């Protein structure tokens, strides 16, 4: 005779055993995972915020929630290594405060789960940036520290202050924040000296992190050719690669050999589209001749997002329509940038990786894409984000593909999410089961 107590225990144990092990199963999407050399239809199972299994046919009974991803592309969460998100400072600067955006409103809706702020703050105001934005965002926000201590607080004055370019203080701040600071940035310099580049490289060397260069005003005293073939170290990043001022094509329209030499040395070329740094007349011939970006990035700020740049998927779509295969476009927006910033735990779908996963759709139609000089390129394909999962949680779902139809939920259904936004309280609250 079995006691009621033991019976109750057995029933509980059975219930626990029958509990599906996976929180979320994305079924039948075409997975593009450059790190694992995978481009094929696969199921992706997520558990406890991490990728738990990627396989051809995972039993739907093993998951609490199953999402039909057929016809969609499943990729790692996009990694945009050039954005400006030091918002809310009230500072009068082209990139800090006035022109920065808060990350969460602009990332998840286009599949971006990680951003790196490109030098909006320097070692002096980084703690304020961290407190104000980084620690509060759901997006994974990383940062390049500006070599200028006060960051991008004003191009005319602050960013020209060579005396405030302190390599030692910058390296120390980077090392105190190793989990968040991924590099050193120099930008917008007008003078003829190499000092900003040299100090940035000094700081990057001391802290074992890469340098990202926005060359500012191009000057004959410091040629771009010398920057990428001599001054930068392997692993350092030249952003704004399709800028007008970059000597790209010779008189016959051929990509200049020094660019391939620089790449051979290990210098990284990044898009950094922005409001002034991407021209079709540079990018199209360069891509067709094999001078492709190592990483695709937006240079997101209020100016660029409302002009030709728009968002990460729009920039990726430009490369798709220029003729780059989708697998390459995705690799250059996930695994490549993750490696460039030395965060190899992201940008891939290996088992155990953080479950930052995106479902993308390739839309066919008549589209137009605009560069920073207002020139249009027509194209027939456009990437759209259907679903963004960050750390295992659904953070954006365009068409409610993770949701149940309202008329199947009974007459008195309550909030269906794990969490919902409460406008009265101004915060996210747990939904009652
Ligand atoms: Zn920028």
């Amino acid at each position: 005779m079995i006691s009621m107590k033991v019976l109750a225990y057995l029933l509980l144990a059975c219930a626990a055993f029958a509990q599906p092990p996976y929180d979320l199963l994305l079924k039948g999407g075409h997975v593009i995972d450059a790190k694992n050399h995978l481009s094929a239809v696969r199921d992706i199972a997520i558990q406890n915020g991490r990728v738990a299994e990627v396989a051809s046919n995972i039993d739907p009974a093993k998951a609490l929630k199953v999402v039909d991803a057929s016809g969609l592309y499943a990729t790692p969460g996009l990694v945009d290594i050039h954005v400006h998100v030091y918002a809310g400072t009230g500072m009068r600067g082209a990139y800090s405060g006035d022109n920065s955006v808060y990350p969460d409103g602009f990332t998840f809706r286009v599949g971006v789960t990680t951003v790196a702020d490109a030098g909006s703050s320097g070692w002096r105001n980084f703690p304020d940036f961290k407190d104000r934005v980084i620690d509060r965002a759901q997006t994974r926000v990383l940062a390049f520290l500006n070599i200028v201590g006060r960051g991008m607080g004003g191009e005319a004055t602050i960013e020209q202050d060579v005396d405030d370019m302190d390599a030692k203080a910058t390296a120390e701040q980077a090392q105190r924040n190793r989990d968040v600071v991924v590099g050193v940035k120099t930008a917008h310099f007008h003078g003829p000296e190499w000092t900003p580049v040299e100090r940035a490289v000094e700081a990057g060397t001391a802290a074992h992190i890469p340098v990202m260069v926005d060359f500012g005003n191009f000057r004959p005293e410091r040629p771009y050719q010398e920057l990428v073939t001599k001054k930068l170290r392997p692993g350092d990043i030249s952003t704004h690669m399709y800028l007008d001022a970059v000597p790209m094509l010779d008189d016959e329209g051929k990509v200049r050999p020094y660019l391939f030499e620089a790449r051979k040395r290990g210098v990284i070329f990044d898009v950094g589209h922005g409001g002034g740094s991407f021209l079709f007349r540079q990018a199209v011939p360069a891509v067709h001749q094999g001078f492709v970006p190592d990483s695709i990035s937006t240079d997101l700020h209020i100016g660029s997002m409302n002009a030709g740049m728009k968002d990460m998927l729009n920039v990726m779509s430009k490369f798709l329509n220029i003729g780059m295969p989708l697998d390459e476009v995705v690799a250059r927006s996930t695994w490549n940038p993750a490696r460039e910033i030395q965060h190899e735990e992201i940008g891939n779908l290996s088992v155990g990786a953080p479950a930052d996963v995106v479902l993308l759709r390739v839309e066919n139609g008549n589209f137009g894409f605009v560069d920073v000089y207002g020139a249009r390129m027509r194209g027939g394909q456009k990437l759209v984000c259907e679903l963004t999962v960050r750390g295992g949680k659904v953070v954006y779902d365009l068409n409610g593909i993770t949701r149940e139809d309202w008329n199947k939920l009974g007459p008195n259904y309550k909030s269906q999410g794990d969490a919902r936004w409460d406008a009265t309280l101004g915060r996210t609250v747990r939904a009652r089961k």
Side-chain angles (χ1 to χ4, degrees), residues 82-84 95 117-120 152 185 187-188 212 214 239-240 272-275 277 298-301:
H82 190 155
V83 302
H84 294 280
Y95 294 90
D117 181 275
S120 304
M152 294 181 179
K185 175 93 184 286
H188 306 158
M212 179 188 272
D214 161 341
T239 192
H240 305 317
H273 188 304
S277 309
T298 60
D299 193 3
L300 172 73
H301 53 72

Side-chain angles (χ1 to χ4, degrees), residues 89-108:
T89 61
M91 267 199 300
R92 289 276 158 186
Y95 294 90
S96 299
D98 284 359
N99 218 12
S100 275
V101 296
Y102 285 106
D104 294 349
F106 302 91
T107 49
F108 297 148

Side-chain angles (χ1 to χ4, degrees), residues 177-293:
N177 296 278
R178 285 215 68 88
D179 51 336
V180 177
V181 174
V182 296
V184 180
K185 175 93 184 286
T186 168
H188 306 158
F189 191 62
H190 298 174
E193 309 93 332
W194 282 105
T195 314
V197 171
E198 287 164 357
R199 299 259 172 91
V201 168
E202 196 185 326
T205 303
H208 310 288
I209 48 179
V211 167
M212 179 188 272
V213 179
D214 161 341
F215 210 30
N217 285 19
F218 284 51
R219 303 272 308 224
E221 299 90 339
R222 45 173 175 82
Y224 181 75
Q225 290 89 327
E226 197 177 329
L227 175 78
V228 294
T229 58
K230 291 196 178 71
K231 291 283 180 180
L232 293 185
R233 305 163 298 165
D236 286 340
I237 303 161
S238 175
T239 192
H240 305 317
M241 66 184 288
Y242 299 121
L243 182 77
D244 195 4
V246 169
M248 175 89 53
L249 307 171
D250 65 17
D251 293 341
E252 270 119 51
K254 294 264 170 289
V255 174
R256 293 174 192 271
Y258 82 92
L259 290 165
F260 293 106
E261 279 167 38
R263 168 159 283 167
K264 222 169 164 187
R265 279 183 69 230
V267 168
I268 304 290
F269 290 90
D270 173 70
V271 174
H273 188 304
S277 309
F278 180 90
L279 292 183
F280 287 127
R281 66 168 157 80
Q282 297 273 62
V284 175
V287 169
H288 288 166
Q289 291 173 51
F291 189 61
V292 294

Side-chain angles (χ1 to χ4, degrees), residues 65-96:
K65 190 176 273 289
V66 181
V67 174
D68 179 9
S70 54
L72 302 175
Y73 292 91
T75 77
L78 305 178
V79 180
D80 183 355
I81 62 163
H82 190 155
V83 302
H84 294 280
V85 293
Y86 187 12
T89 61
M91 267 199 300
R92 289 276 158 186
Y95 294 90
S96 299

Side-chain angles (χ1 to χ4, degrees), residues 281-329:
R281 66 168 157 80
Q282 297 273 62
V284 175
V287 169
H288 288 166
Q289 291 173 51
F291 189 61
V292 294
D294 293 292
S295 48
I296 295 174
S297 68
T298 60
D299 193 3
L300 172 73
H301 53 72
I302 288 173
S304 64
M305 57 163 282
N306 286 319
M309 189 286 286
K310 294 182 179 67
D311 57 43
M312 185 68 172
L313 289 180
N314 194 56
V315 179
M316 289 166 69
S317 298
K318 288 181 180 180
F319 286 94
L320 194 60
N321 285 287
I322 290 171
M324 185 183 283
L326 181 61
D327 287 4
E328 295 295 314
V329 173

